Amino acid sequence: MSKPTLAFIGGGNMATSLVGGLLEQNYPANNIIVSDPMEENRNRLQKQFGINTSNDNLSTASQADVVVLAVKPQVMKQVAQELSSALTHQPLVISIAAGIPLSSLQQWLGENTPIVRCMPNTPALVQTGASGLFANTHVSTEQKASATEILGAVGISCWLETEADIDAVTAVSGSGPAYYFLIMEAMEQVGVELGLSQKVSRQLTLQTALGAAKMAMESDVEPAELRKRVTSPGGTTQRAIETFIDGDITELFRKAMSGAVERAEEMAKEMAD
Ligand SMILES: NC(=O)c1ccc[n+]([C@@H]2O[C@H](COP(=O)([O-])OP(=O)(O)OC[C@H]3O[C@@H](n4cnc5c(N)ncnc54)[C@H](OP(=O)(O)O)[C@@H]3O)[C@@H](O)[C@H]2O)c1
């Protein structure tokens, strides 16, 4: 069966990652077109990937089975309203813009448009992303499979039961990379205070993060069990872990992540205005 034709509106970081990931998975370059106002961006994409580009959002979308909206949230309203006249053939529209609710997208694009709202995260830029997806009722099973394939090109994707879950995804994986960067910063800094050079402290910190993630992903036991297994009674790890538990690290994450959800809700309201 021939692959759906994909149109990306906006040829920036996320579109570049998605296109790169799709081509690596042998998605036909001829089935991909990117529309971007900047000639520099179009030339870069053509040269890097051998795909088609355009500076005309409407003609780009009117040829596509799937239209991926990859512009910044601030310009989404204008871009979506302009696009609506090019969507009479009812392509699937995937929005990767943070904070824009389905109700707004439907209002701008047309109430019956099949839309998947997606919350990706920054590691998509290195093909290790984690996305949450939610579809409106107009999206068919086939279109859902297309969305899974497209986001799957840059990492894992999970279908959500309610649109509100997108805010929880934002708090877990959307903002999550920054939590890990913060932990890395702290570990690196203390490593230096304990006598290591910055270079060595950073190398050890980053490799440890990678190693722990790899072990957790490849293991069939839970992270809590893995932690217990590397924490010998009376040992060094136990002394360190006790400090985190005494400081109620879970409560700290609860507060931080609830704050992220609250902010996502506020931003959705601001964007809808
Ligand atoms: N980067 C991430 O990790 C990440 C994570 C989660 C969600 N997202 C979402 O992904 C979306 C794209 O983010 P990004 O980082 O890829 O942004 P980006 O690099 O700024 O890409 C957006 C592209 O759209 C172009 N553009 C602007 N106006 C346009 C128009 N009217 N028609 C067509 N293209 C237009 C921009 O051109 P100019 O440069 O000339 O303005 C730019 O090339 C955002 O909505 C963001 O919320 C990104």
Coordinates of all heavy atoms in Angstrom, one line a residue, residues 113-146:
T113 N -12.8 18.7 11.0 CA -11.5 18.2 10.6 C -11.0 17.2 11.6 O -11.0 17.3 12.8 CB -10.5 19.5 10.7 OG1 -11.1 20.6 10.0 CG2 -9.1 19.1 10.1
P114 N -10.4 16.1 11.0 CA -9.8 15.1 11.9 C -8.5 15.6 12.4 O -7.6 16.0 11.6 CB -9.6 13.8 11.0 CG -10.1 14.2 9.6 CD -10.4 15.7 9.6
I115 N -8.4 15.7 13.7 CA -7.2 16.3 14.3 C -6.6 15.5 15.4 O -7.3 14.9 16.3 CB -7.5 17.7 15.0 CG1 -8.2 18.6 14.0 CG2 -6.2 18.4 15.5 CD1 -8.7 20.0 14.5
V116 N -5.3 15.3 15.4 CA -4.6 14.7 16.5 C -3.7 15.8 17.2 O -3.0 16.5 16.5 CB -3.6 13.5 16.0 CG1 -2.7 13.1 17.1 CG2 -4.5 12.3 15.6
R117 N -4.0 15.9 18.5 CA -3.1 16.9 19.2 C -2.0 16.1 19.9 O -2.3 15.0 20.5 CB -4.0 17.6 20.3 CG -3.2 18.6 21.0 CD -4.1 19.4 22.0 NE -3.2 20.0 23.0 CZ -3.5 20.5 24.2 NH1 -4.8 20.3 24.6 NH2 -2.6 21.1 25.0
C118 N -0.8 16.6 19.7 CA 0.3 15.8 20.2 C 1.2 16.7 21.1 O 1.4 17.9 20.8 CB 1.1 15.4 19.0 SG 2.7 14.8 19.3
M119 N 1.7 16.1 22.1 CA 2.7 16.8 23.0 C 4.1 16.1 22.9 O 4.2 15.0 23.6 CB 2.2 16.9 24.4 CG 3.2 17.6 25.4 SD 3.3 19.3 24.9 CE 5.0 19.6 25.5
P120 N 4.9 16.5 22.0 CA 6.3 15.9 22.0 C 7.2 16.5 23.0 O 6.8 17.3 23.7 CB 6.7 16.2 20.5 CG 6.0 17.4 20.1 CD 4.9 17.6 21.1
N121 N 8.5 16.0 23.0 CA 9.4 16.7 23.9 C 10.8 16.9 23.1 O 11.0 16.3 22.0 CB 9.6 16.0 25.2 CG 10.3 14.6 25.1 OD1 10.6 14.1 24.0 ND2 10.5 14.0 26.2
T122 N 11.7 17.6 23.7 CA 12.9 18.1 23.0 C 13.8 16.9 22.6 O 14.4 17.0 21.5 CB 13.7 19.0 23.9 OG1 12.9 19.6 24.8 CG2 14.5 20.0 23.1
P123 N 13.9 15.8 23.3 CA 14.7 14.7 22.8 C 14.3 14.1 21.5 O 15.1 13.3 20.9 CB 14.7 13.7 24.0 CG 14.4 14.5 25.2 CD 13.5 15.5 24.7
A124 N 13.1 14.6 21.0 CA 12.7 14.2 19.6 C 13.8 14.7 18.7 O 14.0 14.1 17.6 CB 11.4 14.8 19.3
L125 N 14.5 15.8 19.1 CA 15.6 16.3 18.2 C 16.7 15.3 18.0 O 17.5 15.5 17.1 CB 16.1 17.7 18.7 CG 15.0 18.7 19.0 CD1 15.6 20.0 19.6 CD2 14.2 19.1 17.7
V126 N 16.9 14.4 19.0 CA 17.9 13.4 18.8 C 17.2 12.0 18.8 O 17.8 11.0 19.2 CB 18.9 13.4 20.0 CG1 19.8 14.7 19.8 CG2 18.3 13.4 21.4
Q127 N 16.0 12.0 18.2 CA 15.3 10.7 17.9 C 15.0 9.9 19.1 O 14.9 8.7 19.0 CB 16.0 9.9 16.8 CG 16.7 10.7 15.7 CD 15.8 11.1 14.6 OE1 15.3 10.3 13.9 NE2 15.6 12.4 14.4
T128 N 14.9 10.5 20.3 CA 14.7 9.8 21.5 C 13.5 10.4 22.3 O 13.5 10.5 23.5 CB 15.9 9.7 22.4 OG1 17.1 9.5 21.6 CG2 15.9 8.6 23.4
G129 N 12.5 10.9 21.5 CA 11.4 11.7 22.1 C 10.4 10.8 22.8 O 10.4 9.5 22.6
A130 N 9.5 11.4 23.5 CA 8.4 10.7 24.1 C 7.2 11.6 23.9 O 7.2 12.8 24.3 CB 8.6 10.5 25.6
S131 N 6.1 11.2 23.2 CA 5.0 12.0 22.9 C 3.7 11.4 23.4 O 3.5 10.2 23.4 CB 4.8 12.1 21.4 OG 6.0 12.5 20.7
G132 N 2.8 12.3 23.8 CA 1.4 11.9 24.1 C 0.5 12.3 23.0 O 0.7 13.5 22.5
L133 N -0.4 11.5 22.6 CA -1.3 11.8 21.5 C -2.8 11.7 21.9 O -3.1 10.8 22.6 CB -1.1 10.8 20.3 CG 0.3 10.6 19.8 CD1 0.3 9.5 18.7 CD2 0.8 11.9 19.1
F134 N -3.6 12.6 21.4 CA -5.0 12.5 21.6 C -5.7 12.9 20.3 O -5.4 13.9 19.7 CB -5.5 13.5 22.8 CG -6.9 13.4 23.1 CD1 -7.4 12.2 23.7 CD2 -7.8 14.3 22.6 CE1 -8.8 12.1 23.9 CE2 -9.2 14.2 22.9 CZ -9.7 13.1 23.5
A135 N -6.7 12.1 20.0 CA -7.4 12.3 18.7 C -8.8 12.8 18.9 O -9.5 12.4 19.9 CB -7.5 11.0 17.9
N136 N -9.3 13.7 18.0 CA -10.8 14.0 18.1 C -11.6 12.9 17.5 O -11.0 11.9 16.9 CB -11.1 15.4 17.6 CG -11.0 15.5 16.1 OD1 -10.7 14.5 15.4 ND2 -11.2 16.7 15.6
T137 N -12.9 13.0 17.5 CA -13.7 11.9 17.1 C -13.8 11.7 15.6 O -14.2 10.6 15.1 CB -15.2 12.1 17.6 OG1 -15.6 13.4 17.2 CG2 -15.3 12.0 19.1
H138 N -13.2 12.6 14.8 CA -13.2 12.5 13.4 C -12.1 11.7 12.8 O -12.0 11.4 11.6 CB -13.2 13.9 12.7 CG -14.4 14.7 13.2 ND1 -15.7 14.4 13.0 CD2 -14.4 15.9 14.0 CE1 -16.5 15.3 13.5 NE2 -15.7 16.2 14.2
V139 N -11.1 11.3 13.7 CA -9.9 10.6 13.3 C -10.2 9.1 13.1 O -10.7 8.5 14.0 CB -8.7 10.8 14.3 CG1 -7.5 10.0 13.9 CG2 -8.4 12.3 14.4
S140 N -9.9 8.6 11.9 CA -10.1 7.1 11.7 C -9.0 6.3 12.2 O -7.9 6.8 12.6 CB -10.2 6.9 10.2 OG -9.0 7.1 9.6
T141 N -9.2 5.0 12.3 CA -8.2 4.1 12.8 C -6.9 4.1 11.9 O -5.8 4.1 12.4 CB -8.7 2.6 12.8 OG1 -10.0 2.6 13.4 CG2 -7.8 1.6 13.4
E142 N -7.1 4.2 10.6 CA -6.0 4.4 9.7 C -5.2 5.6 10.0 O -4.0 5.6 9.9 CB -6.5 4.5 8.3 CG -6.2 3.3 7.4 CD -6.7 3.4 6.0 OE1 -7.0 4.6 5.6 OE2 -6.9 2.4 5.4
Q143 N -5.9 6.7 10.2 CA -5.3 8.0 10.5 C -4.5 7.9 11.8 O -3.4 8.5 11.9 CB -6.3 9.1 10.5 CG -6.8 9.5 9.1 CD -7.9 10.5 9.1 OE1 -8.7 10.5 9.9 NE2 -7.9 11.4 8.0
K144 N -5.1 7.2 12.8 CA -4.3 7.1 14.0 C -3.0 6.3 13.8 O -2.0 6.7 14.4 CB -5.2 6.3 15.0 CG -6.1 7.1 15.9 CD -6.7 6.2 17.0 CE -7.1 7.1 18.1 NZ -7.6 6.3 19.3
A145 N -3.1 5.3 12.9 CA -1.9 4.5 12.6 C -0.8 5.4 12.0 O 0.4 5.3 12.3 CB -2.2 3.3 11.7
S146 N -1.3 6.4 11.1 CA -0.3 7.3 10.5 C 0.3 8.2 11.5 O 1.5 8.4 11.5 CB -1.1 8.2 9.5 OG -1.5 7.5 8.4

